[in-house]
Amino acid sequence: MRKPDPSAGKSIGGGATKLRKGLWSPEEDDKLMNYMLNNGQGCWSDVARNAGLLRCGKSCRLRWINYLRPDLKRGAFSPQEEELIIHLHSILGNRWSQIAARLPGRTDNEIKNFWNSTIKKRLKNSTVPSPNTSDSSSSEAKDHQAIVGTRGFVSMQEQGFVPMFMQSTALNRAGTGDASPMFHQHGMNMMFGSNGYFNIPVGSSMAHVGVTDRFYGENGVFGGAEMGIDYVPPLESISIEEQNPKTENTYVNNKITENMTGAGNFWVGEDGEWDLEDLMKDVSSFPFDFSS
DNA sequence: AACGTTTCCAACCGCCTCGTA
DNA sequence: ATACGAGGCGGTTGGAAACGT
């Protein structure tokens, strides 16, 4: 939160009107709300001007999207929303806007704040850091590198080949056959085998999946062994070769590619690219009702 | 009660993409 | 080709509120 700029609204040299910054006053909110309800969204700089606001268009847009929009849902996140956020983050990483698009009434900013304050902390405390955290500068990430130490595994993350819920200590433990507490908690024994997969006992055989049954019930709606999901693909449409053709990680990548190809069920589109829509089909079937 | 610390979150910043001139 | 503005996004900041001592 920021203090309203004390010099707000005053003209400065050259006759230019200084734009306001900081917190929005109730009057400003009223102006913006009334304008938006009467005129709808247009060019944001016009909105700011026509609504009589001494704000930049960007600021108006942000205020509307994050606070004034009538369809915003208020209040704490439900456990269902929380789980969906965690799940989506495991797929999408820090693509908050894409995550928000799948949570009606929630904003990217809200979800981002929620993640950074609540979920990140919780995952850290449970010794299973956030999956697919792209915050490479964070202390968590540094801890992660320090803990894992196995260049190949870190590289997989860097490449976007991050099995869901597989990171840092989970990886390390899995590598020695010791599943992380989180997996124990949910009654799963997972091992990171030499074939580059998470191996999960299913009946009498092992399934190679990149997900746990953490969220998806028993029907395989998302991530049961039947799903045949091996790795969470990078969402950018970048082929493996394009992503990092000549690095020290090539061996790891090649190995992954080989395994995935062998399995015949990795998520690469017809033109060799990852298909976000296919990926998100599974999310759309997520068995929660957020309409309330 | 007073003070220090931590948490939460609104808002800003900088970068990127896209459309247009 | 390129310059420019608008919109969008993720990362970060910083201050109020809550909590602890």
Side-chain angles (χ1 to χ4, degrees):
Chain A
M1 274 171 260
R2 294 154 200 280
K3 283 183 181 173
D5 187 341
S7 64
K10 292 179 183 172
S11 291
I12 54 177
T17 303
K18 189 173 183 180
L19 296 177
R20 277 179 60 86
K21 280 187 175 183
L23 290 180
W24 280 65
S25 68
E27 292 75 27
E28 287 178 306
D29 280 347
D30 282 347
K31 282 182 182 176
L32 180 56
M33 177 71 101
N34 288 333
Y35 182 88
M36 291 301 292
L37 293 178
N38 291 328
N39 301 282
Q41 183 179 324
C43 172
W44 282 108
S45 50
D46 289 344
V47 169
R49 199 178 318 116
N50 296 338
L53 292 162
L54 294 170
R55 296 272 182 174
C56 68
K58 260 182 147 177
S59 183
C60 293
R61 174 184 163 271
L62 212 62
R63 185 62 176 172
W64 175 256
I65 288 174
N66 288 337
Y67 194 80
L68 296 175
R69 244 170 54 199
D71 61 323
L72 280 182
K73 192 187 280 185
R74 297 288 179 169
F77 285 85
S78 68
Q80 287 81 9
E81 285 177 308
E82 201 176 313
E83 295 213 336
L84 181 55
I85 290 169
I86 294 170
H87 165 61
L88 287 169
H89 188 271
S90 74
I91 299 172
L92 297 164
N94 293 0
R95 291 177 175 84
W96 305 116
S97 60
Q98 290 190 30
I99 294 174
R102 290 167 176 86
L103 278 111
R106 301 296 189 181
T107 71
D108 53 354
N109 207 34
E110 199 176 7
I111 293 168
K112 178 171 60 181
N113 282 333
F114 180 62
W115 180 271
N116 286 332
S117 57
T118 309
I119 299 181
K120 222 172 174 180
K121 189 172 44 180
R122 191 176 306 161
L123 290 173
K124 197 174 184 178
N125 288 342
S126 69
T127 74
V128 179
S130 74
N132 203 15
T133 300
S134 60
D135 181 8
S136 57
S137 65
S138 72
S139 58
E140 266 177 272
K142 284 163 188 159
D143 289 347
H144 162 59
Q145 295 196 355
I147 292 167
V148 175
T150 309
R151 183 62 186 155
F153 290 164
V154 175
S155 299
M156 288 167 64
Q157 183 189 26
E158 289 166 355
Q159 295 296 322
F161 290 102
V162 182
M164 292 182 190
F165 304 112
M166 164 184 157
Q167 195 186 18
S168 126
T169 51
L171 246 181
N172 204 29
R173 288 161 184 263
T176 59
D178 180 13
S180 77
M182 182 171 172
F183 300 141
H184 278 311
Q185 182 185 343
H186 295 280
M188 298 188 68
N189 290 311
M190 303 180 69
M191 287 167 282
F192 192 78
S194 58
N195 58 354
Y197 292 102
F198 260 128
N199 298 322
I200 302 176
V202 176
S204 58
S205 60
M206 296 292 273
H208 314 306
V209 301
V211 295
T212 74
D213 64 351
R214 176 70 177 85
F215 304 121
Y216 320 113
E218 298 170 348
N219 58 357
V221 168
F222 199 106
E226 299 82 2
M227 292 294 294
I229 298 167
D230 295 296
Y231 287 94
V232 179
L235 292 167
E236 296 79 10
S237 296
I238 302 172
S239 70
I240 293 163
E241 288 77 15
E242 284 169 340
Q243 267 207 326
N244 203 349
K246 290 177 183 176
T247 69
E248 59 182 323
N249 310 322
T250 302
Y251 172 74
V252 173
N253 291 337
N254 289 345
K255 185 176 180 182
I256 291 165
T257 304
E258 182 188 336
N259 280 329
M260 291 167 72
T261 305
N265 53 8
F266 57 101
W267 294 357
V268 179
E270 290 173 5
D271 53 357
E273 295 179 346
W274 300 105
D275 188 337
L276 174 61
E277 288 312 310
D278 277 355
L279 179 63
M280 295 314 296
K281 278 176 191 169
D282 298 301
V283 176
S284 65
S285 64
F286 201 79
F288 291 128
D289 176 18
F290 296 102
S291 57
S292 56

